[in-house]
Amino acid sequence: MYDLDIVGGGFAGIYSAWRSARMGLRVAIVDQASQLGGSLRSVDTIGYIVDIGAHNLDLRTARNADFFIDILGDNLKVLGNDYSWASTTGHA
């Protein structure tokens, strides 16, 4: 039993689930794809990593930084002391 069901596992769904879970709600995300991420996902195509859509990790505000650090953990690489640039490490 969940307090909140979110349909769509793209950025908006993931962010909504994260904020709701931090408020103490039990959240389920339902998506038609086998992985979350929507257009933020990358796929392995004949040995090449291809971005499905644009990837933008904006960590300039405390809320954004908290989100990406919490979600990505050790897979987040910050490229600058001011958190203005970041990327994923490419490791699951």
Side-chain angles (χ1 to χ4, degrees), residues 33-80:
S34 61
Q35 333 176 295
L36 297 178
S39 65
L40 296 176
R41 288 186 300 119
S42 299
V43 295
D44 187 335
T45 304
I46 59 172
Y48 295 95
I49 302 297
V50 178
D51 293 340
I52 292 176
H55 291 63
N56 180 14
L57 307 179
D58 182 358
L59 291 100
R60 292 174 289 173
T61 66
R63 181 178 292 165
N64 289 3
D66 286 348
F67 171 72
F68 285 113
I69 290 167
D70 192 28
I71 295 295
L72 296 172
D74 292 339
N75 292 321
L76 180 69
K77 179 172 179 149
V78 177
L79 309 169

Side-chain angles (χ1 to χ4, degrees), residues 19-36:
R19 290 291 306 263
S20 299
R22 296 204 29 137
M23 291 188 304
L25 297 175
R26 292 171 23 136
V27 181
I29 300 176
V30 180
D31 194 273
Q32 68 180 4
S34 61
Q35 333 176 295
L36 297 178

